Amino acid sequence: MNDENEKMEKALIDVRKAFRLLQVYQKAIFSLVGKIEANLGLIFDSWRPKYFRKPCKRSKKPYERYAWDFLPGYDTCFLFEVRNSVVNENWVLEVQVSADSSNYLEVNGQPDPREFEAPENCKPFIQFSGFKLIEFKASSSNTVIAEYWECDYPENEGKLEEVTESLVGIKFREDLNNFIDQDSYERTLKSVQSKFVEIGFNFPRAFHQFD
């Protein structure tokens, strides 16, 4: 076996390891998001990759798309409706789960991971972003969601900001590692819920633990 073949064989071993680890990671993340949905009484609306597109349909040529489009679970946003019948107000909560805090900005084509910040210097995180209409009214969740797709993110963490003419938003970021063990998970999620409630983003109920 020549040097090039040997390098390729070693690289493909790393590829197999990476894909298996990615499957384990994504399975854990999907389970975590489902748990958050149940504990907070959320209603799932949709999901999307944070920076790129979803994998193409089978009739489209995948080799004409970014390779990143086929790794949608690496940095993913999950959108939920939050319906509170007590105050007759709906809002939306986006839960972004990211394995990598590196910069994905496109420069002359799709981002090259070889140019990213070193993996050991990056952090995994969950970002909770809430959006609701400025005017208090019996708002339709569809109206809030429509506004959500047109808005920008709040610039500052933990600060309520106008993100469109009719929508306000706020975001809180937490270390993903805080959601691994059950005690830390409950403590962190309850803290996030309390932060939202303090500024008028009410949930259908208090944190509810399911066995």
Side-chain angles (χ1 to χ4, degrees):
M1 181 181 292
N2 61 39
D3 289 345
E4 290 302 315
N5 287 342
E6 186 174 351
K7 288 180 181 178
M8 177 58 74
E9 180 59 29
K10 290 181 179 179
L12 289 175
I13 290 174
D14 287 340
V15 168
R16 290 193 288 274
K17 289 179 180 178
F19 266 99
R20 295 174 189 187
L21 285 173
L22 185 59
Q23 190 278 339
V24 172
Y25 165 76
Q26 291 189 159
K27 182 180 178 182
I29 290 307
F30 295 157
S31 177
L32 172 62
V33 174
K35 190 175 178 180
I36 291 172
E37 175 186 17
N39 289 152
L40 296 182
L42 308 176
I43 301 172
F44 178 77
D45 177 79
S46 58
W47 74 276
R48 63 182 176 86
K50 171 63 176 178
Y51 293 104
F52 306 103
R53 293 185 291 174
K54 294 181 180 180
C56 61
K57 297 180 179 180
R58 64 182 182 180
S59 60
K60 302 297 183 180
K61 299 176 181 178
Y63 41 85
E64 293 181 349
R65 295 275 295 272
Y66 279 7
W68 286 108
D69 294 349
F70 297 87
L71 296 169
Y74 194 63
D75 197 327
T76 314
C77 295
F78 304 85
L79 185 65
F80 298 95
E81 298 176 36
V82 187
R83 299 177 183 172
N84 192 312
S85 58
V86 176
V87 295
N88 201 24
E89 182 179 35
N90 300 334
W91 56 283
V92 296
L93 177 68
E94 180 196 272
V95 179
Q96 177 193 354
V97 185
S98 176
D100 194 341
S101 59
S102 189
N103 194 329
Y104 291 84
L105 294 180
E106 301 177 39
V107 180
N108 298 322
Q110 60 180 305
D112 186 343
R114 294 171 295 184
E115 299 176 356
F116 288 2
E117 189 175 357
E120 58 270 19
N121 295 332
C122 299
K123 300 293 184 182
F125 64 86
I126 298 185
Q127 181 167 287
F128 298 84
S129 301
F131 303 89
K132 70 174 182 177
L133 296 174
I134 294 173
E135 294 184 10
F136 179 83
K137 57 184 178 180
S139 58
S140 163
S141 58
N142 290 333
T143 301
V144 183
I145 290 173
E147 288 283 341
Y148 158 85
W149 289 112
E150 301 298 327
C151 78
D152 294 321
Y153 285 93
E155 294 184 3
N156 303 295
E157 183 179 354
K159 182 180 179 181
L160 190 64
E161 301 175 9
E162 291 188 14
V163 290
T164 69
E165 291 183 355
S166 57
L167 204 69
V168 291
I170 192 168
K171 64 184 180 183
F172 301 103
R173 180 173 292 194
E174 299 289 342
D175 190 329
L176 182 57
N177 292 309
N178 292 338
F179 291 82
I180 293 177
D181 71 84
Q182 183 62 27
D183 288 342
S184 179
Y185 164 85
E186 289 188 24
R187 183 169 57 253
T188 305
L189 190 60
K190 287 178 181 178
S191 174
V192 170
Q193 184 181 32
S194 296
K195 291 176 183 178
F196 276 109
V197 172
E198 285 174 2
I199 55 172
F201 284 71
N202 298 293
F203 289 83
R205 57 168 178 260
F207 177 94
H208 181 74
Q209 178 62 49
F210 291 87
D211 297 327

